Amino acid sequence: MKNMNVLELSEQEIGRRESLQELRNMGINPYPAAEYATNAFSTDIRNNVECGKWNVEGEELPQVCIAGRMMSRRVMGKASFVELQDSKGRIQVYITRDDICPEENKDLYNTVFKKLMDIGDFIGIKGFVFRTQTGEISVHAKELTLLAKSLKPLPIVKYKDGVAYDKFDDPELRYRQRYVDLVVNEGVKDTFLQRATVIRTLRKVLDEAGYTEVETPTLQMIAGGASARPFITHFNALDQDMYMRIATELYLKRLIVGGFEGVYEIGKNFRNEGMDRNHNPEFTCMELYVQYKDYNWMMSFTEKLLETICIAVNGKPEREIDGNIVSFKAPYRRLPILEAIQEKTGFDCNGKTEEEIRAFCLSKGMEVDETMGKGKLIDELFGEFCEGTFIQPTFITDYPVEMSPLTKMHRSKPGLTERFELMVNGKELANAYSELNDPIDQEERFVEQMKLADKGDDEAMIIDQDFLRALQYGMPPTSGIGIGIDRLVMLMTGKTFIQEVLFFPQMKPEKKVPQSTVAEWAEIGVPEEWVPVLRKIGFNLVQNIKDEKPQGLQQKIGDVVKKYKLDMQKPSVDEVAAWIEKAQ
């Protein structure tokens, strides 16, 4: 190992790398390539014994081959107990020296297992299933194989007098190092298995309804289909800026024009906006469009869909979320948005002008400005006073046209559209329309959106001329819906932070300790090879050494050289004194 690398490692990491080399010196490959054919998982073994399928009391004991991480080890002379964790759970393994070393050479047990293997290593075990004297279902090892050496120690939780120590519970670390979180924290993996159940059930319902799963472009010339700020990238081959999609809507509608009965897509959308407990800039959404349907049909379809998903995940149509029992059993309440605002504020937006609504918002202390049109103001009112109050699933319906540029006008309520948003636990889960299929009306709506953009609304839609051309060929009456998968998973698993249901949520850059550069150290005479040593001592900046005594600093350098067995001759006291002098 190079000196630089050694100084970046902890003592445990150095010890593991030394063990790695010793294994290689013994002729043991710590990362073998050959298949290790297992035939059982920890949970299978336990279930087969407990249900009576496997007899562990007779002479013919069940033979198994298992593999996983070694999560704990208790060595008691010639015998040991290991806790092995595989992809489904944990099981105890009993290992004796003479069983895994039947020949005269006992190195596999005495040296490899006891000294060179560590917690976190992947091992393979061949043996038989039995019960210990305390009744615990275990595997008695007859063969032990090292499958992969772990070079970093896992943060294993330790308990003393009922108090947990070394818990890996810092959200910052958990989300950055999800691979560690999955290994050491119980329940984390279950959340993501439940997420898979949500998506699998959703897909099954849509497929069985006869709808076709499709894929549409992620890179788009125009970021359309929603009101949001996009991510912009540059396509070198065309020398043109492109947008990461903010929605799949306009492409899916093109396919309805093309003759599909129903199409859906489960995929990533990207919105260049904030991050919080409910939002991630990269998120998964399902959008569905079905010809000859309207938003009333879509409400009924959505109720049944969510009830089916909740039962698949939780075994019942209810789920506890934030201390509330939320029922996904159909039917759900249906409430027009303007009635919801009047219900919560006493203010009736019906027939009010943009100026009157803005004045009411200002009277309530809301932060609104001249760039906000009527629809945006109503949206702000709903978000401020209403959205968080709907705990049980509630369809908020009949949005003003200014809020819904892609939605068909309401068949009986002038100025409103046939749109609903589904609110659950105080947050929007789904957004759906009776889709606008009048190309002339659609073009006029786009023009109004461009006026909002001119006023400074950076979330207003851009005119998509090709989409307008598609509508001019004729789109049948259609209903569409978008459901946020991440929020849906949060609801179905009872999680309150979106980061808990994303394997790798977006994070701020890791904070780095400020350090003087090698060139800056060179200015005071410190050779490059000594910079890592000084940093290891704790001197990250040149000015950090100015108050040190030359002999004391030389001694600290010598201690590092000795501790890490560096092939270096420590500098003289005079050399160190010169560094300190120039650092003043």
Side-chain angles (χ1 to χ4, degrees):
M1 288 182 288
K2 294 180 179 179
N3 294 339
M4 178 81 75
N5 290 339
V6 168
L7 294 175
E8 293 172 352
L9 303 174
S10 67
E11 288 186 54
Q12 284 193 61
E13 289 174 295
I14 291 172
R16 289 184 179 223
R17 291 182 185 224
E18 290 173 347
S19 295
L20 180 77
Q21 189 57 50
E22 286 187 50
L23 287 166
R24 287 186 166 133
N25 294 342
M26 294 175 68
I28 297 173
N29 182 355
Y31 304 104
E35 175 191 9
Y36 192 81
T38 60
N39 62 11
F41 290 101
S42 54
T43 49
D44 300 334
I45 294 171
R46 192 167 288 107
N47 292 339
N48 286 335
V49 173
E50 289 175 347
C51 75
K53 183 177 179 180
W54 287 1
N55 179 12
V56 293
E57 309 298 335
E59 295 183 5
E60 293 289 329
L61 297 175
Q63 303 293 309
V64 295
C65 180
I66 59 175
R69 284 188 189 270
M70 182 168 65
M71 299 301 290
S72 69
R73 173 174 55 187
R74 286 181 291 135
V75 178
M76 299 168 290
K78 298 178 183 180
S80 301
F81 284 101
V82 161
E83 187 177 36
L84 183 143
Q85 177 173 297
D86 61 22
S87 62
K88 293 190 176 180
R90 297 189 180 191
I91 194 162
Q92 181 172 268
V93 178
Y94 178 62
I95 300 174
T96 69
R97 185 192 68 182
D98 294 335
D99 277 321
I100 66 169
C101 304
E103 308 295 332
E104 189 173 334
N105 186 332
K106 307 297 181 184
D107 285 349
L108 179 60
Y109 184 84
N110 292 337
T111 303
V112 176
F113 173 71
K114 289 174 64 175
K115 298 178 181 178
L116 303 182
M117 286 173 54
D118 295 284
I119 302 303
D121 288 356
F122 280 89
I123 59 174
I125 299 290
K126 291 182 180 179
F128 58 85
V129 182
F130 76 111
R131 282 189 188 271
T132 64
Q133 292 182 345
T134 60
E136 184 169 352
I137 298 169
S138 306
V139 176
H140 187 128
K142 301 297 286 184
E143 293 182 27
L144 166 68
T145 305
L146 176 62
L147 298 176
K149 183 80 184 129
S150 170
L151 298 184
K152 277 187 174 289
L154 289 167
I156 302 297
V157 181
K158 303 178 182 67
Y159 294 90
K160 185 176 181 181
D161 300 327
V163 179
Y165 296 89
D166 300 326
K167 292 178 69 175
F168 191 69
D169 57 3
D170 181 343
E172 179 85 3
L173 287 175
R174 287 185 54 227
Y175 303 152
R176 284 192 195 282
Q177 300 179 33
R178 182 67 82 187
Y179 38 88
V180 177
D181 188 32
L182 288 163
V183 172
V184 304
N185 285 326
E186 290 185 13
V188 175
K189 189 174 184 180
D190 291 339
T191 297
F192 291 98
L193 292 174
Q194 289 174 317
R195 181 187 177 107
T197 299
V198 168
I199 295 173
R200 183 170 56 248
T201 307
L202 172 65
R203 184 173 274 121
K204 180 182 178 183
V205 171
L206 297 177
D207 288 345
E208 289 179 350
Y211 308 138
T212 304
E213 183 172 10
V214 299
E215 296 174 294
T216 60
T218 299
L219 280 176
Q220 301 182 352
M221 296 284 191
I222 294 173
S227 297
R229 186 181 299 118
F231 284 95
I232 304 173
T233 187
H234 190 75
F235 188 2
N236 291 335
L238 297 179
D239 191 22
Q240 178 175 343
D241 283 346
M242 302 282 285
Y243 300 94
M244 301 293 286
R245 72 180 178 199
I246 57 175
T248 56
E249 177 167 345
L250 300 187
Y251 280 96
L252 293 175
K253 285 181 180 178
R254 286 169 168 91
L255 299 180
I256 296 295
V257 171
F260 280 88
E261 177 201 359
V263 291
Y264 74 93
E265 181 168 8
I266 301 172
K268 294 284 190 179
N269 290 341
F270 307 84
R271 297 186 181 178
N272 197 355
E273 298 167 349
M275 297 185 298
D276 58 33
R277 62 188 292 175
N278 295 298
H279 297 88
N280 195 66
E282 174 185 358
F283 63 98
T284 304
C285 189
M286 186 286 296
E287 289 198 40
L288 165 71
Y289 295 84
V290 186
Q291 64 181 7
Y292 310 126
K293 307 299 184 185
D294 67 3
Y295 80 140
N296 293 312
W297 174 89
M298 188 63 81
M299 280 188 259
S300 298
F301 183 84
T302 302
E303 292 169 336
K304 295 168 188 171
L305 172 66
L306 296 182
E307 183 177 348
T308 301
I309 291 173
C310 190
I311 292 171
V313 174
N314 298 295
K316 55 187 179 180
E318 297 85 30
R319 172 75 215 198
E320 182 175 342
I321 307 166
D322 295 337
N324 300 309
I325 301 298
V326 176
S327 174
F328 289 94
K329 189 172 182 59
Y332 306 159
R333 184 187 182 195
R334 303 181 183 191
L335 178 66
I337 186 172
L338 298 185
E339 290 183 24
I341 291 173
Q342 186 172 7
E343 188 179 281
K344 301 298 180 182
T345 68
F347 182 74
D348 186 359
C349 294
N350 260 311
K352 297 294 193 298
T353 65
E354 179 182 315
E355 290 70 25
E356 288 173 322
I357 297 173
R358 183 179 289 107
F360 178 75
C361 291
L362 291 171
S363 73
K364 290 293 185 180
M366 296 172 59
E367 294 184 11
V368 297
D369 56 49
E370 296 302 318
T371 69
M372 295 182 180
K374 188 175 179 180
K376 186 81 168 176
L377 292 169
I378 291 173
D379 192 31
E380 291 291 317
L381 271 174
F382 181 80
E384 181 76 19
F385 296 104
C386 307
E387 184 173 337
T389 66
F390 296 106
I391 303 303
Q392 298 302 323
T394 304
F395 291 117
I396 304 299
T397 67
D398 304 343
Y399 283 67
V401 64
E402 296 88 350
M403 299 175 67
S404 313
L406 299 169
T407 313
K408 188 170 284 189
M409 295 297 292
H410 200 285
R411 67 195 74 174
S412 62
K413 298 178 181 178
L416 303 181
T417 60
E418 296 199 349
R419 172 186 176 188
F420 73 76
E421 288 187 344
L422 176 60
M423 300 294 163
V424 186
N425 198 41
K427 294 295 175 186
E428 175 199 343
L429 174 62
N431 187 20
Y433 316 145
S434 292
E435 300 295 336
L436 180 58
N437 61 341
D438 178 341
I440 295 175
D441 189 359
Q442 180 65 83
E443 185 169 11
E444 291 171 353
R445 306 271 195 99
F446 275 147
V447 169
E448 290 300 314
Q449 285 286 301
M450 292 304 290
K451 290 178 182 177
L452 290 175
D454 291 340
K455 288 176 65 175
D457 187 345
D458 57 3
E459 294 184 354
M461 291 189 194
I462 301 171
I463 297 178
D464 187 334
Q465 296 292 351
D466 180 69
F467 175 64
L468 289 175
R469 179 168 57 195
L471 286 187
Q472 289 166 16
Y473 281 102
M475 185 175 87
T478 298
S479 183
I481 188 169
I483 297 177
I485 298 298
D486 306 319
R487 285 196 185 173
L488 177 59
V489 175
M490 289 172 67
L491 293 168
M492 294 301 170
T493 59
K495 302 300 180 186
T496 55
F497 290 86
I498 195 170
Q499 292 82 4
E500 294 287 348
V501 301
L502 300 174
F503 272 126
F504 304 106
Q506 189 66 42
M507 305 287 290
K508 294 178 181 178
E510 289 189 67
K511 292 181 180 178
K512 293 185 178 180
V513 177
Q515 291 184 336
S516 295
T517 64
V518 171
E520 288 171 329
W521 284 106
E523 289 177 6
I524 66 167
V526 177
E528 182 177 348
E529 63 268 22
W530 288 115
V531 173
V533 176
L534 290 168
R535 288 174 177 166
K536 188 68 178 178
I537 297 169
F539 301 122
N540 289 300
L541 301 173
V542 168
Q543 58 263 37
N544 293 154
I545 69 168
K546 65 181 183 180
D547 296 326
E548 291 293 307
K549 299 288 189 242
Q551 279 189 316
L553 181 52
Q554 188 214 33
Q555 180 62 47
K556 291 175 183 177
I557 292 171
D559 290 343
V560 171
V561 170
K562 182 178 179 182
K563 181 177 181 179
Y564 290 92
K565 301 175 184 177
L566 304 181
D567 186 18
M568 301 169 69
Q569 183 66 42
K570 69 179 179 180
S572 67
V573 173
D574 290 341
E575 288 176 301
V576 174
W579 301 347
I580 296 172
E581 178 66 27
K582 291 179 181 177
Q584 302 301 318

